[in-house]
Amino acid sequence: IALLAAALTVAGVTLGGCTAARDSLDTGVSRCFRVLPVARADVGSSARFLGVLWSPGKAVVDAVSKELQGAAPASPVPPALLAAENDMTCLVAFKGSFAASRVRGGWAPLPGPTLTAVVVVRQSDAQILATVLFHRIPGQLDFFHPSAFVH
């Protein structure tokens, strides 16, 4: 019985540590987890989830502008993304192989293969504003991956 009690105490402490970490999850990011099914449906089940970021809609456009270093994007910014530049959005990143014609609001602003997709979803109504396709995610977009909180 003493051994069982010790095992339960260790298990409780271990699980308590995981719960505490999850409870400290950023409020903005936690709001984005409800839009994950919408984003996943857009890119398909074969895409691998990379992470999520809660930010104003203009964050993706700003990141693209910085990557282009003054050059014009390969295609114009989607109007829905421009219109929502001050709305809070959930940026959901996936790895895979993507074509702009196969995702909602597909935008491939940079030339080259598109191996990552960032689905931009308005947080207030879970509406997809654009799916931005990149070869790699711009460094200024710092995505949160929930596995950081799984022990």
Side-chain angles (χ1 to χ4, degrees), residues 6-65:
L8 289 175
T9 301
V10 169
V13 169
T14 302
L15 291 175
C18 287
T19 301
R22 269 193 236 101
D23 288 345
S24 67
L25 182 62
D26 176 76
T27 304
V29 170
S30 64
R31 291 178 190 154
C32 290
F33 286 101
R34 71 179 184 86
V35 307
L36 291 179
V38 173
R40 165 63 70 195
D42 189 44
V43 297
S45 61
S46 64
R48 185 171 58 92
F49 175 71
L50 294 176
V52 64
L53 174 65
W54 188 58
S55 72
K58 68 179 187 165
V60 170
V61 177
D62 290 348
V64 168
S65 295

